[in-house]
Amino acid sequence: SDLAQQSKGIDVDFTTMDVSANAVSLALAGYFTTTHVMGTGLVNLLNHPQSLNTLREAIQNNSSSELMPGVVNEMLRYDAPIHVLDRYAKETTELAGVTITKGQKVAAVIGSANRDGDVFSEPDKFDISRGACDLLSFGHGVHSCLGAQMLRQVLPIALETFLNKFSSVELAAKPSWQTDPYFRGYTNLQLRAR
């Protein structure tokens, strides 16, 4: 709490409960997003062998640090771990001819936004060479996911460690999607790895 007080230049009084609640939120946000993206990302790499081979070669040549940010971005864009976010209209507005009144609940479908053909060329193509791009996978602004930075730090290490350990990976069974419309991930992902 001392750091928060100094960084904002205002008097902030965090309770132990405030700090604990934020720590739990950060851990859960980072855990769920990372595990979902690791699962869907691996399956997408397996379904796109050229991308998997490109990543493996970069890892073997110790150049994955150049490629990995684009790989992570594409995993997040192609299968965002959070697909729907609920928000409440701050003021009455009109969107695509529909009036949204102040306080009305609105569902933003992030999975669709990340496949917008006006923003992304070939939006339905999994392309790890796409590089940096504006994603809504973690929300935006004050509504950004607390776990975003954790995922961006942990996922490259987990992915590289996994691919270093196993030279051969394939699906052992068709993955089972979880059914919550807000999250995108598997409840069951069986791999055969050697």
Side-chain angles (χ1 to χ4, degrees):
S1 68
D2 289 339
L3 179 61
Q5 289 173 3
Q6 291 172 9
S7 67
K8 297 290 183 185
I10 58 173
D11 187 26
V12 179
D13 195 18
F14 289 113
T15 66
T16 302
M17 182 65 88
D18 292 332
V19 174
S20 297
N22 280 298
V24 169
S25 292
L26 175 62
L28 289 176
Y31 170 77
F32 283 117
T33 56
T34 303
T35 56
H36 285 325
V37 176
M38 181 71 175
T40 59
L42 275 173
V43 170
N44 286 321
L45 285 169
L46 291 172
N47 288 334
H48 298 87
Q50 181 57 45
S51 293
L52 178 58
N53 290 339
T54 299
L55 179 57
R56 280 191 183 280
E57 286 174 20
I59 290 169
Q60 289 169 356
N61 296 329
N62 293 317
S63 61
S64 64
S65 62
E66 298 165 17
L67 183 63
M68 198 60 83
V71 172
V72 170
N73 260 4
E74 187 63 1
M75 288 177 166
L76 288 167
R77 186 199 68 81
Y78 197 77
D79 267 324
I82 308 295
H83 258 221
V84 179
L85 288 175
D86 289 336
R87 295 292 182 252
Y88 294 89
K90 193 173 182 177
E91 57 188 51
T92 298
T93 189
E94 187 174 308
L95 181 64
V98 176
T99 300
I100 300 168
T101 59
K102 180 179 180 177
Q104 184 177 351
K105 184 177 178 179
V106 179
V109 184
I110 292 171
S112 292
N114 282 341
R115 299 275 185 109
D116 185 342
D118 291 339
V119 178
F120 304 102
S121 64
E122 299 184 88
D124 294 327
K125 179 182 177 186
F126 183 77
D127 180 6
I128 62 170
S129 68
R130 194 178 300 270
C133 52
D134 290 330
L135 302 173
L136 290 176
S137 301
F138 292 117
H140 182 70
V142 297
H143 296 290
S144 291
C145 175
L146 288 173
Q149 290 308 313
M150 181 186 265
L151 178 139
R152 290 190 183 281
Q153 296 297 314
V154 171
L155 186 61
I157 295 167
L159 192 55
E160 190 165 329
T161 301
F162 184 84
L163 293 176
N164 270 329
K165 181 170 178 130
F166 301 107
S167 59
S168 172
V169 181
E170 60 188 36
L171 290 173
K174 184 178 177 181
S176 302
W177 289 102
Q178 58 84 33
T179 57
D180 185 326
Y182 288 82
F183 299 100
R184 181 128 173 110
Y186 299 118
T187 57
N188 188 348
L189 175 57
Q190 296 178 39
L191 299 174
R192 192 172 296 112
R194 296 182 280 293

